[in-house]
Amino acid sequence: MADADQTRFESSRRTFLTTGAAACAGAALTSVTPTLVHAAGNDTIKVALIGCGNRGAGAAVQALSTNGSVKLWAVADAFSDRLEACLDVMQRGWQRTYDRDPSLGVKDRMDVPPERRFVGLDAYRKAIDSSVDVVLLCEPPGFRPKHFEYAVNAGKHVFMEKPVAADVAGVKRVLAAAEEARKKDLKVGVGLQRHHEPVYHQALEQFQSGAIGDLTSMRCYWNTGFPGKTTVPRGDMTELEYQVRNWYFFTWLSGDHICEQHVHNLDACNWFVGKHPVEAQGVGGRQMRTGHEYGNIYDHHMVEFTYDDGLKLHSQCRQIPGCWNQVGESFAGTKGTLNTAVASTIIADGKRVWRSKSNPGGRKGAYQTEHDVLFDAIRTGKAHNEADYGATSTLTGILGRMATYTGKVVTWDEALASDQRLTTDAEDWNAEAPVNPRDDGSYAVAIPGKTTIA
């Protein structure tokens, strides 16, 4: 990034981290030095997977596909059927080619006997405590801050999926744990894989070189049909169990899709300009996905973010079938427009004047590269901690959600200073859920003009 942007980014980062760490001064963090060093690159790295959904299986395969000796040593999930299904699909081979090279097999790197398969809301602690070196946090985002904190306390290196939290309190918790991880020289990766995508680095190089001139505005989109998430009937489950089973559709667990998915686009925009927005205002609601089974999240958000110099980012994320779909970012400048997606292009005077190289680096994708970088840092001792920008981009999504839920202009400082805590640390299925259904089985949904940010 340009020198001026780098200076602004570092200043913003220091303020953000100082404020967040101060707010979390009471967090229960202890000093534990990592017990295993892999300087020679030959020692076996033992991995624990927390959260055995689709992304968890993918992350585990990518971790096991890194160089050197690696073993999947322990797995944990709230539900036994999800855990067993995850192990089964990994043993049979992972087929999503954009995640990894399908020719790579990991079955011989799996060593997870029944005694290291942990189930329940407290399963994460048992897996982390089972003599592992690296923890993969792929559980619902609402649980991620607590699990990250515990892993850092235990002296473990961490890969955690995005977003890193579902509420402001969780972001602050992550920031405090990230600072402690830095003191212990623990390595932390975050699943915002665009940072490891060659197409994005090519686009960033063009952006920084002035190819589009002075930046005038940004746009970003995650507009699709319904997500590939199925709802699970209530049956005889407790309320807490029902919500965790259907985690995607509850704000306290997923952060709403503006955080759970659109965070990728918001992160890319923050990355390119080297800072975060200072305020947001927007609109959103539920228009198609209105049934009780869809919890309390929205199905569309449109947010206008403003940065400290007046720059505007116009953001859309929508999950409604039959509409215009788009996933990507667009940077408009005085000389042209840079668009990022599967390939990146620059359009000037109605003509394409630049296009990124297709699939640079061969078949290996960003999902694999982010694990390669993390595990290389573990083995070589290189500095590696992506939690700061993970927290910044997560809070950007939360800021946008606050704006759409409340219908108000919400500033970054107001969001960070709020007492918003949506999640629970409960580890018993009979504990009370953070939200409860009304008499008709529906859940209260945010109402702009009435809902507050706290």
Side-chain angles (χ1 to χ4, degrees):
M1 68 181 64
D3 291 343
D5 283 339
Q6 178 68 44
T7 300
R8 285 195 299 269
F9 177 79
E10 289 300 328
S11 176
S12 175
R13 174 186 173 275
R14 285 192 296 271
T15 300
F16 182 34
L17 296 181
T18 299
T19 305
C24 291
L29 292 167
T30 59
S31 294
V32 177
T33 302
T35 57
L36 211 59
V37 177
H38 302 275
N42 295 320
D43 296 327
T44 296
I45 296 179
K46 296 178 181 177
V47 176
L49 170 63
I50 316 296
C52 296
N54 193 49
R55 185 78 283 274
V61 167
Q62 285 128 28
L64 299 182
S65 299
T66 58
N67 292 329
S69 179
V70 188
K71 286 283 187 182
L72 181 62
W73 190 252
V75 293
D77 195 89
F79 306 105
S80 61
D81 58 318
R82 296 300 299 268
L83 185 153
E84 297 300 332
C86 175
L87 292 177
D88 180 63
V89 75
M90 289 178 63
Q91 289 170 340
R92 288 189 288 107
W94 193 244
Q95 300 301 317
R96 280 180 14 178
T97 56
Y98 68 83
D99 272 346
R100 66 181 293 275
D101 185 338
S103 67
L104 297 174
V106 298
K107 187 175 181 179
D108 62 341
R109 292 187 167 196
M110 298 173 64
D111 185 7
V112 193
E115 61 268 25
R116 291 199 295 273
R117 302 179 185 186
F118 305 105
V119 175
L121 290 175
D122 62 348
Y124 72 98
R125 291 190 283 105
K126 298 172 184 177
I128 292 170
D129 291 341
S130 64
S131 301
V132 298
D133 310 300
V134 182
V135 180
L136 311 178
L137 299 181
C138 303
E139 68 289 82
F143 294 130
R144 204 156 287 150
K146 177 176 70 170
H147 296 179
F148 179 51
E149 182 181 271
Y150 191 89
V152 170
N153 281 345
K156 310 300 182 182
H157 306 291
V158 174
F159 171 81
M160 57 178 162
E161 264 302 337
K162 54 72 204 167
V164 301
D167 57 18
V168 174
V171 170
K172 294 175 181 178
R173 204 168 179 176
V174 166
L175 285 169
E179 190 60 29
E180 190 68 17
R182 193 173 289 106
K183 293 176 184 177
K184 297 178 180 181
D185 196 27
L186 296 172
K187 316 306 176 185
V188 181
V190 174
L192 292 166
Q193 77 280 348
R194 281 164 169 76
H195 290 262
H196 301 279
E197 173 58 64
V199 165
Y200 274 82
H201 281 275
Q202 292 177 52
L204 182 62
E205 183 178 356
Q206 292 292 317
F207 181 83
Q208 293 175 340
S209 73
I212 65 170
D214 296 329
L215 185 64
T216 57
S217 66
M218 299 185 289
R219 291 173 285 133
C220 65
Y221 310 95
W222 197 293
N223 289 341
T224 64
F226 288 159
K229 306 290 183 182
T230 57
T231 57
V232 179
R234 184 177 299 274
D236 59 358
M237 291 184 283
T238 67
E239 183 60 35
L240 182 58
E241 185 177 4
Y242 172 74
Q243 291 183 25
V244 175
R245 276 283 189 183
N246 294 283
W247 66 270
Y248 188 87
F249 302 106
F250 289 91
T251 303
W252 75 270
L253 282 160
S254 70
D256 206 319
H257 63 101
I258 192 172
C259 294
E260 210 285 327
Q261 287 179 307
H262 195 40
V263 66
H264 281 300
N265 311 113
L266 300 174
D267 171 68
C269 291
N270 284 347
W271 175 28
F272 272 50
V273 299
K275 54 188 176 181
H276 60 72
V278 296
E279 69 176 32
Q281 66 84 24
V283 296
R286 288 161 66 102
Q287 193 164 5
M288 293 291 293
R289 196 170 53 210
T290 58
H292 300 174
E293 69 272 25
Y294 296 118
N296 62 355
I297 68 170
Y298 281 5
D299 59 20
H300 65 280
H301 302 258
M302 179 179 284
V303 182
E304 178 188 78
F305 294 96
T306 303
Y307 290 76
D308 59 0
D309 56 1
L311 177 69
K312 301 290 186 180
L313 165 60
H314 301 279
S315 150
Q316 295 179 23
C317 56
R318 179 182 60 221
Q319 296 180 332
I320 300 177
C323 299
W324 173 75
N325 290 343
Q326 179 70 39
V327 176
E329 305 83 32
S330 181
F331 303 85
T334 54
K335 295 180 181 178
T337 299
L338 171 64
N339 299 306
T340 57
V342 176
S344 296
T345 61
I346 293 178
I347 306 298
D349 297 325
K351 298 179 181 179
R352 190 177 75 193
V353 298
W354 175 82
R355 179 183 172 90
S356 61
K357 296 178 182 178
S358 60
N359 199 24
R363 300 176 69 186
K364 183 182 292 186
Y367 287 90
Q368 183 61 52
T369 301
E370 64 185 353
H371 286 270
D372 290 345
V373 171
L374 171 62
F375 278 74
D376 177 70
I378 292 169
R379 292 186 182 280
T380 63
K382 296 175 184 175
H384 187 71
N385 192 321
E386 299 178 333
D388 295 344
Y389 71 71
T392 301
S393 296
T394 295
L395 188 57
T396 302
I398 292 171
L399 176 67
R401 186 187 74 212
M402 287 177 163
T404 59
Y405 277 16
T406 65
K408 308 289 187 182
V409 174
V410 182
T411 70
W412 182 270
D413 291 342
E414 287 172 337
L416 193 57
S418 77
D419 296 323
Q420 185 196 72
R421 186 176 191 272
L422 306 179
T423 59
T424 177
D425 283 347
E427 296 184 0
D428 184 331
W429 287 124
N430 292 310
E432 185 172 355
V435 296
N436 284 295
R438 295 178 287 206
D439 291 342
D440 64 356
S442 66
Y443 295 87
V445 176
I447 302 175
K450 294 185 179 181
T451 298
T452 62
I453 69 172

